[in-house]
Amino acid sequence: MTRLFSFGTRQLDLARPQVMGILNITADSFSDGGQLLAGGRINGDALLRRAEAMVCEGASLLDLGAESTRPGAVSVAESEEVERMGSALALLRSRFDVVLSVDSSSPAVFAMAAAAGAGLLNDVRALRRDGALEAARDSGLPVCLMHMQGEPGTMQDDPRYHDVLAEVGSFLSERVAMCVEAGIPRERILLDPGFGFGKRLEHNLALLANLKALAASGLPILVGMSRKRMLGELTGRATGERLAAGVASAVLAAERGASIIRTHDVAATVDGLKVLEGLYRNQGRHP
Ligand code: 7PJ
């Protein structure tokens, strides 16, 4: 059984979990800021090396972020974000046979992304900025709609829910309806519960435990827990020491129906997912 999904010019089989490597072209991302961008300029050699390593390790998507959503991060001017994202896409587009994803909320970025070689619009604001729905529709690219309570700067101050599963579920179905109304067909939509975005540990764990309910929407699920605070809270470990916890969370999510795992640590995540796939294969189940 396969479940082919089109990302612009490329297709991936989402019946088996795919790994998305994170490339932050920012000065201040929480776990790897400043490595690919220095003095406001992209370090092209470093970006190519990092991308190549992730592709060799088994990433089938690369997620490019030009503006950090870390609480307290400096905001980047939209023109600057367009410029950075455009340069990164130009460097990567013809060199690697992977889907290039743009982690952005900016209609101006969406407007240039398809022609620049992107295959996915990944928006933590679920296309809520003015003009974002229209720009995404016109791009013809698929979109990942993520749930976030509040705004990045303050979302962790006091997150509250009556029923986190119901609230995240209904937010995402409303956003899907808005997309469909704006002319983005369901076949071009992925969903993400937004781990760590306006959520306490108990909320994150409830969402992970019940990921199958989100997968029941029939739309592919993307998740990102890599190095996040929830893993620090569970293990007591600092950001750079959360690899094992990240792999465990990836495998648990894939087992509950996640199709795409967004991670800083591609090789270890691919290995973890191979254990799950081996288990399924041995049971004659696919995946
Ligand atoms: C996510 C994201 C996530 C999606 C970030 C970080 C913060 N996009 N962009 N899902 N997180 N779709 O990597 O810790 O969880 S930025």
Side-chain angles (χ1 to χ4, degrees):
M1 195 188 73
T2 56
R3 184 183 185 190
L4 287 182
F5 191 96
S6 289
F7 295 90
T9 56
R10 293 185 168 91
Q11 288 194 322
L12 294 178
D13 177 12
L14 297 187
R16 45 189 58 234
Q18 304 287 329
V19 174
M20 167 187 266
I22 302 170
L23 290 170
N24 282 319
I25 321 154
T26 57
D28 59 349
S29 286
F30 82 98
S31 71
D32 60 355
Q35 294 170 12
L36 302 180
L37 186 84
R41 291 190 62 83
I42 291 187
N43 182 339
D45 289 341
L47 177 61
L48 283 174
R49 273 199 308 273
R50 186 76 64 79
E52 180 168 28
M54 286 182 162
V55 174
C56 290
E57 290 168 8
S60 48
L61 307 100
L62 296 175
D63 192 38
L64 304 169
E67 181 179 46
S68 175
T69 47
R70 181 175 63 86
V74 287
S75 69
V76 174
E78 198 170 31
S79 57
E80 176 70 26
E81 194 190 346
V82 170
E83 157 84 27
R84 268 190 216 168
M85 194 62 85
S87 321
L89 288 167
L91 263 174
L92 301 176
R93 66 175 301 174
S94 53
R95 287 187 164 89
F96 304 107
D97 183 23
V98 291
V99 174
L100 299 177
S101 159
V102 298
D103 189 343
S104 176
S105 301
S106 153
V109 170
F110 299 160
M112 70 79 176
L120 175 65
L121 306 179
N122 173 28
D123 185 3
V124 299
R125 293 180 181 79
L127 307 180
R128 283 180 288 167
R129 285 228 174 120
D130 277 352
L133 278 168
E134 295 74 18
R137 173 197 58 212
D138 296 344
S139 76
L141 293 175
V143 298
C144 178
L145 304 175
M146 197 196 79
H147 175 272
M148 167 165 62
Q149 185 183 83
E151 271 292 313
T154 50
M155 65 190 178
Q156 288 308 116
D157 289 355
D158 189 20
R160 280 168 196 271
Y161 298 85
H162 288 296
D163 180 341
V164 68
L165 301 175
E167 289 170 51
V168 169
S170 63
F171 171 84
L172 291 174
S173 26
E174 270 168 39
R175 296 311 299 163
V176 170
M178 295 293 280
C179 284
V180 171
E181 197 174 307
I184 302 171
R186 275 179 74 85
E187 299 69 48
R188 262 170 52 199
I189 301 176
L190 303 100
L191 300 180
D192 183 336
F195 289 103
F197 283 83
K199 290 162 191 103
R200 296 179 200 284
L201 179 59
E202 68 201 80
H203 303 136
N204 291 315
L205 292 175
L207 288 164
L208 177 57
N210 292 282
L211 209 56
K212 275 200 178 114
L214 202 54
S217 68
L219 301 180
I221 306 300
L222 186 156
V223 298
M225 286 176 273
S226 183
R227 301 187 187 174
K228 283 187 180 169
R229 185 160 87 188
M230 61 181 285
L231 303 179
E233 288 169 337
L234 290 167
T235 60
R237 293 193 183 276
T239 312
E241 300 169 347
R242 297 175 187 164
L243 172 68
V247 174
S249 71
V251 174
L252 290 168
E255 197 186 23
R256 286 161 178 74
S259 295
I260 300 178
I261 310 290
R262 181 180 178 278
T263 181
H264 302 85
D265 302 297
V266 172
T269 303
V270 167
D271 276 4
L273 294 173
K274 280 184 180 162
V275 177
L276 185 63
E277 288 195 69
L279 191 73
Y280 287 155
R281 226 180 6 256
N282 193 55
Q283 292 176 320
R285 200 146 66 99
H286 175 78

